[in-house]
Amino acid sequence: MAWKTLDDMELDGKRVLTRVDINVPVENGEVTDATRIERVCATVQDILARGGTPVLLAHFGRPKGKVVPEMSLKMLLPALEAAFGTKVHFATLDEAEGVIDACDKGHVVLLENTRFEPGEEKNDPELAKTYAKLGDVYCNDAFSAAHRAHASTEALAHLLPACAGRLMQAELEALEAALGTPKRPVLAVVGGAKVSTKLELLGNLVEKVDILVIGGGMANTFLAAQGLDVGKSLCEHDMTGTAKEIAEKAASTGCEILLPRDVVVAREFRENAPSEVVKAEECPADAMILDAGPDSVAHVEQAIDRAETLIWNGPLGAFEIAPFDTATNAAAAHAAKATASGKLVSVAGGGDTVAALNKAGASDDFTYISTAGGAFLEWMEGKVLPGVAALG
């Protein structure tokens, strides 16, 4: 691998500038979901155990280069101290040098929101130099921000000995296993509302994977491209030409595309709305497709049984409301079972995907679940991520 990890670094007595993603949900000053904080613990504790001082760089919200008091990272101190089990000192960039110098061994320093600095999102080299003076080693543990070329994710990495943190390392190793040098056959499940948001993804995947399952509203666009009437379903009729091109590209690369064979339709979009299962080509004109049917699910499960590697992004239906979560839940449970039995390497990512797999109770058995949204998608699209490239 082209990038270094913490194992390659001498950390004893060193100040380790550590870029983390702790952009967590907060209500009334309280952290409501500490998952992202928990996921950086391994890196922070590793640096501490080896005699280093972690100096955390992180963003919060979108203050656009201005100081917005309600977006100060100071409010995260109690949650960080609870997770790390040690004292965390807070400093603005102006105070940073003094606070870091006075920091006792075994403690952590948290710098104020990087996005309060006008140069952060411009990848300003002068701001990166200011950061660099505060540390001896740079560690990037924020894969979810790696698709952004910002001063704390890209420019800074060129100024100090640089490595990936434990979370970043796990993410990159999982993605390399899924798309870089995977065990074949490789199956991709791609769902979601719109083809237009996942064009580059689909175009890249049909060159990389052996089987591609298309679900959600996207599937309706592909069905319409085959000349099927999808009634009042969510469908991008202006994208049917593009859907045909993707299908033709798949045929030329030997990638098998699986679309729903049967569908669950309803007249209204609400919890437990009356619904029925019909063949994909028999959607009533006044109904909308809200999920894949049982025959389609069986077809997806057979594809999972054939695969050695699975990449999952997006639900198969309107998973937020029952009974239109049935296909997503069933396929996710099947993939989880295959993974738990050692037959499948499964990697999933993207906001809706994580929510859907959690709802299905399948997350714990997947090989790796990425909490990164945009970065995970851009990696799947085959793009070079600036924050990762800078570590090389």
Side-chain angles (χ1 to χ4, degrees):
M1 295 183 183
W3 35 273
K4 291 184 165 138
T5 71
L6 282 168
D7 298 322
D8 301 306
M9 297 290 161
E10 177 54 55
L11 300 180
D12 193 27
K14 305 285 195 215
R15 298 168 305 170
V16 186
L17 292 178
T18 309
R19 180 60 165 94
V20 293
D21 181 2
I22 47 176
N23 196 9
V24 291
V26 172
E27 274 175 39
N28 305 319
E30 298 277 318
V31 174
T32 55
D33 180 354
T35 305
R36 282 182 163 173
I37 290 173
E38 287 154 12
R39 292 190 92 167
V40 301
C41 283
T43 294
V44 169
Q45 276 152 0
D46 197 1
I47 294 167
L48 289 171
R50 289 168 55 198
T53 299
V55 178
L56 306 184
L57 295 163
H59 72 276
F60 187 88
R62 298 178 185 275
K64 303 281 184 204
K66 295 185 178 68
V67 175
V68 180
E70 57 269 29
M71 292 184 191
S72 171
L73 290 180
K74 201 168 191 174
M75 64 183 163
L76 302 185
L77 287 175
L80 292 170
E81 290 185 337
F84 301 156
T86 190
K87 176 74 182 162
V88 180
H89 302 273
F90 179 78
T92 63
L93 194 52
D94 293 339
E95 305 161 341
E97 201 162 349
V99 172
I100 295 166
D101 287 345
C103 180
D104 291 337
K105 207 159 192 178
H107 289 183
V108 176
V109 177
L110 170 68
L111 299 191
E112 181 57 287
N113 193 339
T114 57
R115 290 188 183 170
F116 282 5
E117 301 298 327
E120 167 67 2
E121 295 186 69
K122 294 174 184 159
N123 202 16
D124 178 28
E126 291 309 312
L127 176 59
K129 283 177 193 166
T130 304
Y131 288 143
K133 286 178 192 157
L134 302 172
D136 307 299
V137 173
Y138 172 73
C139 170
N140 192 342
D141 207 30
F143 177 80
S144 50
H147 59 314
R148 310 266 187 233
H150 290 173
S152 68
T153 61
E154 204 276 337
L156 176 55
H158 299 287
L159 302 177
L160 293 172
C163 68
R166 295 304 182 204
L167 178 58
M168 172 83 96
Q169 179 185 349
E171 190 100 33
L172 293 175
E173 285 171 354
L175 294 176
E176 177 64 21
L179 264 190
T181 49
K183 289 182 180 170
R184 295 194 172 275
V186 182
L187 164 67
V189 173
V190 180
K194 296 182 173 180
V195 173
S196 52
T197 60
K198 296 193 178 176
L199 270 181
E200 291 182 73
L201 172 62
L202 295 171
N204 185 46
L205 288 180
V206 295
E207 294 181 346
K208 298 261 179 84
V209 308
D210 305 292
I211 312 161
L212 174 60
V213 171
I214 298 177
M218 294 169 61
N220 301 337
T221 304
F222 276 82
L223 293 172
Q226 293 182 349
L228 274 56
D229 185 356
V230 294
K232 293 187 172 175
S233 309
L234 175 65
C235 176
E236 293 178 288
H237 291 283
D238 59 333
M239 297 297 293
T240 52
T242 307
K244 275 184 191 163
E245 285 168 20
I246 291 166
E248 284 163 11
K249 187 175 179 183
S252 70
T253 58
C255 171
E256 179 187 351
I257 290 186
L258 303 188
L259 293 171
R261 297 174 166 196
D262 60 344
V263 291
V264 180
V265 299
R267 267 74 184 176
E268 51 186 328
F269 182 67
R270 66 171 172 84
E271 188 103 21
N272 297 317
S275 61
E276 59 186 310
V277 176
V278 298
K279 287 183 178 172
E281 60 272 22
E282 291 173 6
C283 174
D286 65 340
M288 51 190 150
I289 299 169
L290 294 176
D291 201 12
D295 185 28
S296 302
V297 172
H299 202 206
V300 172
E301 289 176 347
Q302 286 164 6
I304 291 169
D305 292 340
R306 283 190 279 152
E308 297 253 346
T309 303
L310 166 67
I311 307 160
W312 189 313
N313 176 260
L316 298 177
F319 79 98
E320 304 90 345
I321 56 173
F324 311 112
D325 55 352
T326 304
T328 303
N329 290 349
H334 197 82
K337 190 176 170 189
T339 307
S341 69
K343 294 176 186 164
L344 186 70
V345 171
S346 53
V347 177
D352 274 358
T353 312
V354 177
L357 296 181
N358 284 344
K359 192 164 182 264
S363 299
D364 289 350
D365 286 323
F366 266 61
T367 308
Y368 193 81
I369 302 260
S370 169
T371 51
F376 182 80
L377 267 179
E378 289 196 17
W379 179 283
M380 283 179 73
E381 287 166 4
K383 291 179 180 170
V384 173
L385 306 183
V388 176
L391 296 179

